Amino acid sequence: MLNTLDLNLSLDKKNYHEQIEALMIELRSLQNTCWQQKIPIIVVLEGWAAAGKGKIVQKITNYMDPRGFDVYPTLAPTTLEQKYP
């Protein structure tokens, strides 16, 4: 599956900062709508170690209403699990 990704795509910091604020505001609005409609949502982040998952979780949760979500971290991978991507 990873072989289908275009790894040459990039986003410079200026465009990132311009886009991320609007996207986070939209995310909070979506969270509020789901909360009012009682629609449960599950978000699963998966990736290699040190891929930045923790930073993404922190950034997302800083924008959201803390009454509307729970974060469930998983354990660090075992030695055997670390051998596989």
Side-chain angles (χ1 to χ4, degrees), residues 2 9 14 16-17 22 24 31 35 37 42-44 46 53 57 61 69-71 74 77 79-80 84-85:
L2 291 177
L9 294 175
K14 181 183 177 214
Y16 170 82
H17 290 293
M24 290 299 173
Q31 179 202 20
W35 178 270
Q37 300 287 327
I42 295 175
V43 176
V44 178
E46 189 272 335
K53 297 176 299 293
V57 170
T61 57
F69 68 87
D70 294 309
V71 175
T74 58
T79 305
L80 177 63
Y84 302 96

Side-chain angles (χ1 to χ4, degrees), residues 29-44:
S29 175
L30 290 169
Q31 179 202 20
N32 188 36
T33 301
C34 290
W35 178 270
Q36 290 174 353
Q37 300 287 327
K38 300 191 184 312
I39 299 171
I41 303 294
I42 295 175
V43 176
V44 178

Side-chain angles (χ1 to χ4, degrees), residues 52-81:
K53 297 176 299 293
K55 288 182 181 181
I56 291 295
V57 170
Q58 183 179 17
K59 183 177 282 289
I60 289 171
T61 57
N62 283 340
Y63 277 85
M64 296 174 72
D65 184 341
R67 297 171 295 172
F69 68 87
D70 294 309
V71 175
Y72 297 97
T74 58
L75 299 175
T78 65
T79 305
L80 177 63
E81 292 172 333

